[in-house]
Amino acid sequence: MNRFLLAVASIVLGAASAQAADLAAQYTKAPVMAPGYNWTGFYVGGNVGGQWGSADPTTSTVFSPAGYFASSSVPAVNTVGAQSVNSSSVTGGFTAGYNWQVNHAVFGLEGDINYFGFKGSATGSGVYPCCAPSTFTVNASVSADWLATIRGRIGFLAAPNWLIYATGGAAISEVKGNFVFTDNYFAGASESGTVRDTRVGWTAGLGGEYAVGNGWSLKAEYLYVDLGRIATTSTNLTSATFGPFPASVYTHSVDLKSNIVRVGVNYKFGGPVVARY
């Protein structure tokens, strides 16, 4: 009997040892924490895209008894002088900014300088109501070579690496307008005006940015730009037959707006790392 009990005990102990060995073999370590992307930090980048916009150059004058025009001619000149210029071009440049991530929100400040390439012209002609068939012509050209913006950004993380944001701030550009008035009444008359000003307008838009890793991210955004209206006056109308008419005051103005769609790549320097399982 004692031998039988010893044999049973040996079998039970052997089975328990085997199960313990199996459990030890199946043990796995806890998952290691992997670094996640954090948007906080300074970044630089480049962008390329296209702009399409419009400017509304205007040429107008006023009636004066001592002026060149008959009273019926002034409305005709002003109607022809209300013109429109459309422009489209490739745009591109450089970007720099800083982001702060707070949980799933990202706040930032961004600036950029770009080739703008806005350029266009318009021509209109009319017949003097008082003096047909004598005619007049108004020419206008508008250009803006570069555009800079300083904008705030506020967005949320649709995913750790995917940022959706709204942006808005100041838009800055040098806007230039050139105007020429001519007619063929008697020996003809002519007038010209030029306006040139560094404008500070506004811009607003939407965008998305995707972090691809190692500090790099890709973005796409839309911006609407309004640079406002600039104006100048001129009193240099001169008739080849009758001489100068300083009482015929001209006003020339330009109102420039544009839409921009562009894509870009950014590189972020440093910044904290967020751990995730």
Side-chain angles (χ1 to χ4, degrees):
M1 177 63 70
N2 291 336
R3 291 179 180 179
F4 175 74
L5 293 175
L6 289 174
V8 171
S10 298
I11 293 173
V12 171
L13 291 174
S17 299
Q19 289 179 354
D22 289 341
L23 289 173
Q26 294 175 2
Y27 172 76
T28 57
K29 294 182 178 180
V32 178
M33 288 192 299
Y37 192 82
N38 187 280
W39 292 85
T40 297
F42 174 76
Y43 62 90
V44 296
N47 65 80
V48 64
Q51 72 83 18
W52 70 97
S54 63
D56 297 321
T58 63
T59 294
S60 62
T61 189
V62 295
F63 174 74
S64 170
Y68 176 74
F69 297 108
S71 59
S72 61
S73 298
V74 170
V77 171
N78 294 349
T79 298
V80 172
Q83 300 174 324
S84 181
V85 169
N86 295 318
S87 172
S88 61
S89 64
V90 173
T91 180
F94 303 97
T95 303
Y98 193 92
N99 285 325
W100 294 267
Q101 180 176 341
V102 181
N103 297 323
H104 294 287
V106 176
F107 306 91
L109 182 65
E110 183 173 278
D112 57 59
I113 180 74
N114 290 266
Y115 169 74
F116 193 27
F118 188 104
K119 182 179 293 186
S121 60
T123 300
S125 297
V127 177
Y128 284 127
C130 67
C131 312
S134 296
T135 63
F136 62 90
T137 300
V138 179
N139 294 290
S141 63
V142 182
S143 63
D145 297 328
W146 56 269
L147 176 71
T149 72
I150 302 173
R151 295 171 286 107
R153 297 203 311 173
I154 180 170
F156 69 93
L157 298 178
N161 287 26
W162 182 244
L163 172 66
I164 306 297
Y165 63 87
T167 183
I172 307 161
S173 182
E174 184 182 49
V175 179
K176 294 169 280 187
N178 293 290
F179 305 84
V180 176
F181 171 91
T182 58
D183 74 4
N184 59 8
Y185 181 67
F186 283 91
S190 64
E191 178 273 343
S192 63
T194 299
V195 61
R196 182 171 183 168
D197 188 28
T198 299
R199 298 294 300 163
V200 179
W202 62 273
T203 181
L206 299 169
E209 190 168 353
Y210 183 76
V212 296
N214 296 322
W216 293 96
S217 62
L218 304 174
K219 74 173 185 179
E221 66 183 6
Y222 163 80
L223 294 176
Y224 177 78
V225 174
D226 187 339
L227 294 172
R229 181 172 290 275
I230 54 176
T232 188
T233 59
S234 166
T235 58
N236 63 18
L237 175 66
T238 301
S239 166
T241 302
F242 307 108
F245 285 85
S248 293
V249 180
Y250 279 79
T251 299
H252 303 290
S253 66
V254 175
D255 183 10
L256 194 155
K257 301 178 178 65
S258 183
N259 301 273
I260 299 173
V261 173
R262 60 191 184 185
V263 295
V265 57
N266 290 334
Y267 179 77
K268 181 174 70 73
F269 297 92
V273 174
V274 174
R276 68 183 184 191
Y277 286 98

